[in-house]
């Protein structure tokens, strides 16, 4: 199969579909709430069924991903998307992929919770000829059709470099990590270590907060009780950075005025708002890839191949760049 770059080939694929007789009728819509579990309700115009397994819908970033998918799918009445929410349980997500296989959907999109447990079900789908698009968190090996996600090593590295400057080259840092059994969690840490290399920044406390704000808040409370001098917090996502800020305010010593908080994701209603409110010093954008997933799906459904790996860019939002929509890195 020939590989096509997304921008050009989607137009071709869409034209092909129109020629083969898509009538452009209603199609199935994703749930208006951004993706509660639903069966989709296929209509006559929908020629292809896509199963989408989302690792959870408890985090705003994932609700946004489903919305981005839903929005992009509006241009394609020939696809019907069945959304499933795995409620942050790898076992549920395994079952969802297997359920999609049993239903013989035409394509699967998965945003996995963890790499290892989801590798096998994805391979099973591929073995049966069902293309799989993996979004955001990678699986192991390379048995999938297309992976789409941000460059987490780069994000960690850029954040590290930014922090070195913001702290004048030295300081005590708390690192509130994302789930370490997921690839972005490991990559954001490794990139950060590269970014602070050669500086006098020390990680004095770290914890796996599994991407969750309440965990980050709890871990930060214990870090605050142990360390009188904390200069910055690196939250692997904005909810973690925000949880750390909340814990610092709750401590009641006013240390939130001297500690600098950094996060990742940069949703307009979350991290970007925190920067505007002066809660975060900076946040680094982590695009959801929802639109790109639909572009890739259209190619695959029409027997064309998108690039095997699609890496999305990032932007930094801080007090100087937030008003102009961030600065691309
Ligand atoms: C949401 C999330 C984001 C983060 C991404 C990493 O579940 O935690 O905040 O950037 O996953 O996979």
């Amino acid at each position: 199969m020939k590989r096509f770059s997304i921008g050009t080939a989607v137009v071709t694929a869409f034209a092909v579909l129109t020629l083969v007789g898509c009538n452009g009728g209603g199609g199935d819509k994703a749930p208006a709430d951004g993706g509660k579990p639903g069966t989709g309700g296929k209509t006559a115009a929908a020629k292809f069924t896509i199963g989408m397994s989302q690792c959870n819908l408890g985090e705003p970033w994932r609700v946004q991903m489903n919305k981005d998918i839903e929005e992009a799918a509006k241009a394609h009445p020939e696809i019907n998307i069945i959304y499933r929410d795995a409620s942050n349980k790898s076992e549920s997500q395994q079952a969802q992929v297997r359920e999609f296989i049993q239903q013989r959907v035409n394509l699967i999109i998965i945003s996995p919770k963890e790499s290892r447990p989801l590798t096998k079900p994805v391979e099973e789908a591929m073995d049966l000829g069902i293309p799989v698009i993996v979004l955001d968190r990678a699986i192991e090996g390379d048995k999938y059709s297309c992976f789409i996600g941000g460059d987490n090593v780069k994000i960690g590295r850029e954040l590290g470099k930014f922090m070195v400057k913001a702290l004048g080259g030295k300081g005590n840092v708390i690192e509130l990590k994302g789930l370490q059994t997921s690839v972005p969690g490991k990559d954001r840490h490794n990139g950060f270590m590269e970014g602070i290399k050669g500086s006098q920044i020390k990680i004095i406390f770290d914890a796996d907060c599994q991407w969750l704000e309440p965990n980050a808040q709890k871990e930060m409370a214990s870090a605050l009780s142990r360390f009188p001098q904390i200069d910055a917090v690196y939250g692997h996502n904005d909810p973690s950075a925000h949880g750390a800020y909340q814990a610092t305010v709750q401590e009641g010593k006013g240390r939130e005025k001297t500690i600098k908080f950094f996060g990742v994701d940069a949703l307009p209603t979350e991290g970007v708002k925190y920067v505007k409110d002066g809660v975060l010093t900076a946040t680094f954008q982590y695009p959801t890839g929802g639109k790109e997933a639909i572009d890739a799906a259209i190619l695959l459904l029409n027997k064309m191949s998108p690039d095997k790996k699609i890496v999305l860019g990032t932007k930094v939002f801080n007090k100087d760049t937030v008003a102009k929509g961030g600065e691309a890195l």
Side-chain angles (χ1 to χ4, degrees), residues 55-56 59 61-62 136-137 152 182 184-185 188 210-211 236-239 264-265 270 286:
C55 97
N56 74 74
E59 296 167 81
W61 186 87
R62 298 202 168 268
D136 155 48
R137 298 185 190 170
N152 287 294
S182 70
R188 286 183 200 178
Q210 303 178 0
W211 306 114
H236 278 202
N237 63 358
D238 290 333
V264 179
D265 280 348
E270 205 182 35
Y286 189 56

Side-chain angles (χ1 to χ4, degrees), residues 148-218:
I148 304 173
D151 183 341
N152 287 294
V153 174
K154 175 174 172 172
I155 288 174
R157 186 171 54 235
E158 293 295 338
L159 193 150
K161 283 175 8 195
F162 191 97
M163 191 189 282
V164 171
K165 275 197 207 138
L167 297 189
K170 59 173 192 293
N172 292 342
V173 173
I174 307 297
E175 184 179 8
L176 300 173
K177 293 174 171 167
L179 185 67
Q180 291 297 294
T181 48
S182 70
V183 179
K186 285 186 262 185
D187 286 355
R188 286 183 200 178
H189 168 74
N190 293 336
F192 181 71
M193 297 312 286
E194 278 176 34
I196 62 169
K197 208 170 164 185
S199 75
Q200 290 173 55
I201 285 184
K202 276 199 302 238
I203 300 171
I204 54 167
F205 178 100
D206 73 280
D208 185 341
C209 299
Q210 303 178 0
W211 306 114
L212 301 174
E213 176 155 352
N215 294 355
Q217 191 162 344
K218 209 172 107 237

Side-chain angles (χ1 to χ4, degrees), residues 25-194:
D28 183 52
K29 299 286 173 281
D33 60 4
K36 288 236 166 64
T39 51
K42 202 170 173 176
T43 69
K47 183 175 155 197
F48 300 114
T49 299
I50 297 177
M52 159 56 182
S53 172
Q54 179 58 274
C55 97
N56 74 74
L57 282 172
E59 296 167 81
W61 186 87
R62 298 202 168 268
V63 173
Q64 185 61 47
M65 183 197 284
N66 276 26
K67 279 193 188 147
D68 292 344
I69 291 175
E70 180 186 348
E71 190 55 37
K74 281 186 187 157
H76 298 285
E78 72 279 16
I79 60 177
N80 170 51
I81 307 178
I82 304 171
Y83 291 86
R84 289 285 182 270
D85 167 10
S87 306
N88 231 11
K89 293 191 194 78
S90 288
E91 307 76 49
S92 307
Q93 206 161 20
Q94 290 171 325
Q96 288 170 359
V97 174
R98 292 187 169 126
E99 180 198 321
F100 289 148
I101 294 174
Q102 268 177 6
Q103 292 175 21
R104 289 290 187 272
V105 296
N106 301 100
L107 183 142
I108 294 171
I109 301 176
I110 179 169
S111 191
K113 177 181 177 190
E114 293 168 295
S115 44
R116 178 152 300 171
L118 275 315
T119 300
K120 184 99 200 325
V122 168
E123 288 175 354
E124 287 165 16
M126 292 291 288
D127 284 340
L128 288 165
I130 302 174
V132 183
I133 297 172
V134 180
L135 264 180
D136 155 48
R137 298 185 190 170
I139 55 165
E140 292 180 355
D142 62 358
K143 205 163 183 181
Y144 52 82
S145 308
C146 171
F147 172 80
I148 304 173
D151 183 341
N152 287 294
V153 174
K154 175 174 172 172
I155 288 174
R157 186 171 54 235
E158 293 295 338
L159 193 150
K161 283 175 8 195
F162 191 97
M163 191 189 282
V164 171
K165 275 197 207 138
L167 297 189
K170 59 173 192 293
N172 292 342
V173 173
I174 307 297
E175 184 179 8
L176 300 173
K177 293 174 171 167
L179 185 67
Q180 291 297 294
T181 48
S182 70
V183 179
K186 285 186 262 185
D187 286 355
R188 286 183 200 178
H189 168 74
N190 293 336
F192 181 71
M193 297 312 286
E194 278 176 34

Side-chain angles (χ1 to χ4, degrees), residues 290-321:
K291 181 195 173 296
E292 292 79 3
I294 291 300
D295 290 348
I298 297 299
L299 289 177
L300 287 160
L301 290 169
N302 289 285
K303 308 275 177 259
M304 289 179 271
S305 293
D307 290 336
K308 177 96 181 183
K309 191 166 181 196
I310 297 170
V311 180
L312 308 170
T314 186
K315 284 181 185 174
V316 57
F317 291 81
N318 68 332
K319 65 175 177 15
D320 303 323
T321 65

